[in-house]
Amino acid sequence: MSHTVLQILLAAIVVLPLVGAVAALLPAPPGLKGKDPDQAVLRHGVTVTGAVLALSVALAAGFDHDHPARMQATTDISWIPALGVRIHLGVDGISLPLLVLTALLTFLCALYSYYKMPSGPSPKAFVALLLVLESGTLATFAVLDLMLFFLAFEMVLIPMYFLIARWGGEGRERAAWRFILYTLLGSVVMLLGLLLIGIKGGTFDMVALATDNGSGLGHTTQVIAVLAIGIGLAVKAPMWPLHSWLPDAHTAAPTVGSVLLAGVLLKMGTYGFVRIVLPIAPEGAHTFAPYLAAFAAVGIVYGSLVCLALARSGGKGDLKRLIAYSSVGHMGFVLLGIATLTPTGINGALFANIAHGLITGLLFFLVGAIKDRYGTSDLDELSGLTGAALYGRAPRLGGLLAFGAVASLGLPGLAGFWGEMLAMFASFRPADGLSRPAFLTFMALAGLGTLLTAAYLLVVVRRVCMGGDGDGDGVTPATAPGPSGALADVRPYEFAAWTPLVALTVLAGLWPAALLGLTDPAVQQLLGGGN
């Protein structure tokens, strides 16, 4: 495919959701309004996100897979000459999978919302915010200018704030405020670091700075810049102990908000580490790598222990909250892989990013469906004798929940295994100059985290899918009485929204080379300063 066609495709992928958001707020043309204006605007959301997904697939098909390290589909035009800010877009093997993942998850969320719109204000605003969120996320992965990266990074905050505050559940206003305050404060610090690099490096162009590989920046400049940028990215990642906004946001958010928050927004922070911190300020990254790894390892164990406490009987744990805390642990593996500063670790981190988006997106869809059917996501209520007992009352739903759980705990053959395994493997032999005993300790902690992850996820599956909590009073889970009798099993629109995530989880697990073949050459080039 020609460069011009790829260029147009990438520009359209970033701009089309914004155009669609404006169109969603306008009155529908008489021929398209139909009998129900609300359904018409939701259908518009499905159409626009479907078109963006189709363009993303076309871009991936036209991408030169023989040279994934080369920046492709590039657009580079001057925007603010006085500041040296340019509209610079492009994709390589690192950003392309994240671009396609974002387009896929947003389309599935729009499709799900068409049939199951969260309760709240006008669907017009909901669709417009969803599309602005998609545009900002896609732009984050496509832009190659530090100032544009910051603008795209911030662009997603307002739509996600309103999705939580207006369409969320109990405690939504407090959760939305915590989300916006944490991320904004982190972003202010990050902006200072980006400005420092741009001013000292003489350009905001990320490709030029990465090729320079920090030679134009002094050691002190790099350390200060990495500290400032790292704080902003760590909040979004989220890294322990800057994660405390996440459980509230996930618990209060509507189902599609949780899916996009876990599946896409968390990836923006870890992507920033790989795209900006490692190649542009390598000395600063080397200085802070042991601390990043330590925080990541603690986060893995901490997230797993909290999930184990939430999963136990009588713990009054919320299933959405539990999966949110599991994200702290899973993203800890991503940060640990990045902190090793090795191609193996960074490839593992990028793979774990995609796997987490697919698996946790599926789990939040499933929990939303269970809550819609049963009216609660409280584990004690779902696991009692009058609880969900999914294997008996909704076997397909129960089977999917069990699949999501075993994929999340890293079962070999599914997507969750490879990224975490590569991150731990890289910790066994980190980059030169890093303390191997320290990283062996972090590897051991990560290994403990995998055992704890398996423990709490299997407890969740037993309690929700089997029911009865194993209290031995002779009532079988399958026949346990419930407030509404048999639960509705997987509906056609749910089947359509979830099947791609299941299929890709299996495909990535069985054929990891498809993704690693894209990322590895690009990672090698980034670490080598463009060589």
Side-chain angles (χ1 to χ4, degrees):
M1 196 177 287
S2 72
H3 172 73
T4 305
V5 174
L6 289 176
Q7 199 177 31
I8 293 170
L9 281 175
L10 182 58
I13 286 167
V14 174
V15 173
L16 184 58
L18 276 181
V19 176
V22 174
L25 296 174
L26 299 174
L32 296 177
K33 189 179 294 185
K35 295 180 180 178
D36 188 347
D38 287 350
Q39 286 300 102
V41 75
L42 290 170
R43 188 165 57 247
H44 168 78
V46 175
T47 303
V48 174
T49 54
V52 172
L53 176 59
L55 292 172
S56 302
V57 172
L59 178 67
F63 186 83
D64 184 357
H65 292 261
D66 294 328
H67 301 90
R70 193 177 70 227
M71 203 59 72
Q72 301 179 37
T74 53
T75 299
D76 189 7
I77 55 178
S78 180
W79 184 35
I80 309 176
L83 299 177
V85 179
R86 306 181 68 81
I87 296 177
H88 192 183
L89 306 176
V91 290
D92 62 359
I94 292 172
S95 51
L96 182 64
L98 290 165
L99 210 69
V100 176
L101 175 69
T102 300
L104 173 65
L105 284 176
T106 312
F107 169 70
L108 296 181
C109 285
L111 181 66
Y112 187 84
S113 300
Y114 178 75
Y115 293 96
K116 188 66 182 177
M117 171 72 192
S119 57
S122 159
K124 276 192 170 190
F126 176 83
V127 170
L129 290 168
L130 194 69
L131 291 173
V132 172
L133 182 69
E134 179 181 33
S135 181
T137 313
L138 290 168
T140 301
F141 300 134
V143 298
L144 297 171
D145 183 277
L146 289 178
M147 288 300 99
L148 278 186
F149 177 85
F150 177 77
L151 292 176
F153 200 84
E154 296 304 285
M155 185 176 164
V156 304
L157 301 186
I158 300 303
M160 182 53 75
Y161 166 81
F162 281 110
L163 285 174
I164 297 171
R166 303 300 297 276
W167 286 272
E170 186 180 348
R172 59 183 183 267
E173 290 186 6
R174 178 177 177 271
W177 272 111
R178 287 195 75 178
F179 165 76
I180 200 80
L181 287 175
Y182 263 80
T183 48
L184 275 179
L185 287 173
S187 297
V188 168
V189 182
M190 183 176 77
L191 176 60
L192 297 176
L194 294 174
L195 288 171
L196 178 63
I197 283 179
I199 292 167
K200 292 288 188 180
T203 179
F204 289 109
D205 187 284
M206 289 158 65
V207 176
L209 288 165
T211 304
D212 198 31
N213 207 217
S215 61
L217 302 172
H219 178 76
T220 304
T221 301
Q222 289 193 36
V223 169
I224 295 171
V226 169
L227 179 61
I229 296 170
I231 289 172
L233 297 174
V235 169
K236 188 67 72 73
M239 181 187 78
W240 179 90
L242 303 175
H243 68 284
S244 58
W245 61 270
L246 182 75
D248 287 344
H250 270 310
T251 306
T255 297
V256 295
S258 294
V259 170
L260 291 175
L261 185 57
V264 177
L265 265 68
L266 302 189
K267 312 301 174 280
M268 294 164 60
T270 51
Y271 172 78
F273 276 108
V274 175
R275 176 65 73 195
I276 298 173
V277 172
L278 299 188
I280 295 176
E283 291 181 29
H286 195 281
T287 299
F288 285 106
Y291 303 101
L292 178 63
F295 284 127
V298 172
I300 292 168
V301 176
Y302 169 80
S304 301
L305 288 173
V306 172
C307 288
L308 204 54
L310 291 172
R312 67 181 176 83
S313 181
K316 302 301 288 181
D318 184 278
L319 196 48
K320 287 187 76 175
R321 195 172 191 85
L322 183 145
I323 296 172
Y325 270 109
S326 79
S327 291
V328 176
H330 288 305
M331 297 309 289
F333 280 100
V334 178
L335 293 169
L336 179 61
I338 293 170
T340 65
L341 304 182
T342 63
T344 301
I346 296 164
N347 278 306
L350 294 170
F351 196 101
N353 253 348
I354 301 298
H356 179 265
L358 295 172
I359 297 166
T360 309
L362 174 64
L363 285 172
F364 274 117
F365 268 134
L366 291 167
V367 174
I370 292 169
K371 189 171 183 179
D372 288 338
R373 286 159 170 76
Y374 202 75
T376 183
S377 54
D378 183 272
L379 262 171
D380 285 339
E381 292 187 41
L382 290 172
S383 61
L385 285 177
T386 58
L390 291 179
Y391 286 157
R393 300 174 63 191
R396 292 184 184 86
L397 191 59
L400 280 170
L401 183 63
F403 171 84
V406 296
S408 186
L409 63 83
L411 186 75
L414 297 175
F417 170 73
W418 295 105
E420 297 180 1
M421 186 273 289
L422 288 171
M424 288 194 289
F425 185 72
S427 299
F428 184 74
R429 197 171 296 281
D432 293 340
L434 296 177
S435 169
R436 192 169 180 228
F439 273 82
L440 287 174
T441 304
F442 303 146
M443 182 187 74
L445 288 172
L448 174 62
T450 61
L451 296 176
L452 295 172
T453 300
Y456 72 73
L457 284 170
L458 292 175
V459 169
V460 167
V461 169
R462 180 182 63 79
R463 297 187 71 199
V464 178
C465 294
M466 298 179 185
D469 253 349
D471 52 11
D473 61 2
V475 181
T476 59
T479 58
S484 55
L487 293 173
D489 214 335
V490 179
R491 300 182 174 104
Y493 71 89
E494 293 171 333
F495 182 80
W498 303 342
T499 299
L501 300 179
V502 174
L504 288 171
T505 299
V506 174
L507 182 64
L510 296 178
W511 191 27
L515 188 55
L516 294 173
L518 275 176
T519 61
D520 185 51
V523 167
Q524 298 276 2
Q525 179 162 305
L526 270 185
L527 292 179
N531 299 316

